[in-house]
Amino acid sequence: SFQEAIFKGLAPDGGLYMPFYIPKFDLDFFNSDLKYHELATELIFPFVQDNIHKNSLMEICQSAFNFPIPLLNLDEDLYILELFHGPTFAFKDFAARFIARTMQYFMRNQNIERTILVATSGDTGSAVANGFYKMDGIRVVILYPSGRVSKIQEQQLTTLGNNITAIEVRGNFDE
């Protein structure tokens, strides 16, 4: 199930979870005037409908994607979606914030705490830290390589506190 995949991360064979099918959407759907969180809800719902009610998914998406996501027109038939306006300026904010809110949704009414361990070379750790910041029942520990992240990334990793712990380590992500 989607819920199982969210909490396990890797599939039992060590690979990625994949859906049984990928739904098709008409071109009219993509040309609609939906706001980003509404579009995301419609695109995600076929994959989670057995686990998350559509209204709840809409709330998750609205909370996760609460930053500007401008679509710029560059030419008559050429557009670009800017994915760097999230809180850490990384496209990974989209996934991190969505997963954080989805995990919290699944953990509601449970009296458990989970710990997420992240090894990062920079932007993944920042996005995860920010996405899970102050999420009840979820503690995040981030390992980041000493002297190998930018100053702003290190500040994003180390200044949140609360349920976020950043640990500077010798070595790199692969080690």
Side-chain angles (χ1 to χ4, degrees), residues 17-101:
Y17 284 99
M18 294 297 295
F20 290 112
Y21 76 99
I22 297 176
K24 294 181 181 183
F25 292 87
D26 293 331
L27 188 56
D28 291 341
F29 170 75
F30 293 102
N31 289 326
S32 68
D33 290 329
L34 295 175
K35 294 178 182 169
Y36 186 85
H37 71 274
E38 296 168 331
L39 179 74
T41 299
E42 295 299 324
L43 289 171
I44 296 168
F45 187 67
F47 300 103
V48 303
Q49 61 188 344
D50 293 338
N51 297 117
I52 304 175
H53 188 273
K54 196 168 197 175
N55 290 339
S56 297
L57 181 61
M58 180 72 78
E59 291 173 9
I60 290 168
C61 289
Q62 195 165 13
S63 174
F65 312 126
N66 65 351
F67 48 86
I69 309 166
L71 179 64
L72 303 180
N73 179 249
L74 300 181
D75 200 348
E76 182 179 327
D77 294 322
L78 183 60
Y79 292 82
I80 186 168
L81 187 63
E82 291 187 348
L83 304 179
F84 55 84
H85 293 276
T88 70
F89 313 112
F91 71 92
K92 295 174 182 181
D93 285 325
F94 287 85
R97 293 172 62 82
F98 176 76
I99 288 175
R101 283 144 183 82

Side-chain angles (χ1 to χ4, degrees), residues 1-12 15-18 44 47-48 51-52 57 60 94-107 114-117 132 138:
S1 71
F2 179 77
Q3 182 175 351
E4 182 179 351
I6 284 284
F7 286 104
K8 286 195 173 184
L10 292 176
L16 300 176
Y17 284 99
M18 294 297 295
I44 296 168
F47 300 103
V48 303
N51 297 117
I52 304 175
L57 181 61
I60 290 168
F94 287 85
R97 293 172 62 82
F98 176 76
I99 288 175
R101 283 144 183 82
T102 302
M103 288 179 104
Q104 190 167 56
Y105 169 82
F106 287 134
M107 291 173 60
R114 294 184 185 261
T115 300
I116 297 173
L117 178 62
F132 282 89
I138 302 173

Side-chain angles (χ1 to χ4, degrees), residues 1 14 20 82 143 151 167-168:
S1 71
F20 290 112
E82 291 187 348
L143 307 175
K151 182 174 178 152
I167 302 171
E168 183 177 22

Side-chain angles (χ1 to χ4, degrees), residues 149-161:
V149 298
S150 71
K151 182 174 178 152
I152 192 167
Q153 287 172 333
E154 187 169 28
Q155 290 172 336
Q156 289 174 340
L157 293 168
T158 60
T159 59
L160 291 173

